[in-house]
Amino acid sequence: MNFQCRLKHEYNLIDLTPLVDVIFLMLIFFLITSDILPMKSLLLDSPKVQKEAPTRLCQLLVVMDKDQVIYVGSKRDIVDLHSVGQHLKGLIEQARVKYPDYLPTVVLSCDKHVDYEAFLNLFSQIQECVPRVRLAFCSPTSDSDPSQFLKNQ
């Protein structure tokens, strides 16, 4: 007995190609729009000064670590020495829009192992942007880690 089948075989498979394309597009979108470097605390060895530190009310933070990498703002954007002024001007304009009656203060925090010439170059770049610059240091009565200043900002 030989039966013949005249029906055609149909494969009911769903085409997953458009779904995979959409998934890859979403993956690329989220990778591009997310922060690649997570917020991290910087470990600085600040110099000690024989004077009490004033209250720490600031709006803009500029940090130079021992490798002379410059971090600007609360998101700690990494910038080079020549673009610090432009980056700070943008942050100052944002602060003036948010607080029109307040001239922002820039707090400059450098590691004590930073070359003095590099410090002065950075300091002059900041002074061109804003007249109010504070230098961060560790007071002799603070027994805490010097990097606590940056973690609290």
Side-chain angles (χ1 to χ4, degrees), residues 32-52:
I32 291 174
T33 58
S34 68
D35 289 334
I36 300 298
L37 296 175
M39 294 282 289
K40 60 181 179 179
S41 62
L42 302 172
L43 183 60
L44 290 180
D45 191 11
S46 296
K48 300 219 182 266
V49 176
Q50 298 299 323
K51 187 177 180 181
E52 289 297 318

Side-chain angles (χ1 to χ4, degrees), residues 16-136:
L16 295 178
T17 306
L19 178 69
V20 171
D21 288 344
V22 169
I23 297 293
F24 278 125
L25 285 174
M26 288 174 52
L27 178 68
I28 291 170
F29 172 76
F30 288 123
L31 284 175
I32 291 174
T33 58
S34 68
D35 289 334
I36 300 298
L37 296 175
M39 294 282 289
K40 60 181 179 179
S41 62
L42 302 172
L43 183 60
L44 290 180
D45 191 11
S46 296
K48 300 219 182 266
V49 176
Q50 298 299 323
K51 187 177 180 181
E52 289 297 318
T55 37
R56 295 179 175 149
L57 297 174
C58 70
Q59 210 164 3
L60 300 174
L61 182 65
V62 178
V63 178
M64 181 184 277
D65 66 2
K66 65 181 176 182
D67 299 322
Q68 296 184 4
V69 177
I70 302 169
Y71 303 89
V72 178
S74 61
K75 291 187 178 181
R76 298 193 181 117
D77 300 325
I78 299 174
V79 295
D80 62 343
L81 183 63
H82 303 293
S83 63
V84 168
Q86 294 172 348
H87 199 78
L88 261 179
K89 286 178 185 176
L91 290 174
I92 289 169
E93 287 303 316
Q94 289 175 2
R96 284 188 178 164
V97 168
K98 195 172 184 180
Y99 306 103
D101 298 333
Y102 178 67
L103 180 63
T105 301
V106 174
V107 175
L108 175 59
S109 180
C110 289
D111 193 274
K112 71 178 180 181
H113 301 291
V114 170
D115 183 40
Y116 187 62
E117 182 180 4
F119 165 75
L120 285 180
N121 287 332
L122 179 61
F123 189 74
S124 66
Q125 288 279 335
I126 294 171
Q127 273 188 324
E128 290 176 4
C129 298
V130 64
R132 296 170 53 177
V133 180
R134 270 193 35 227
L135 299 177

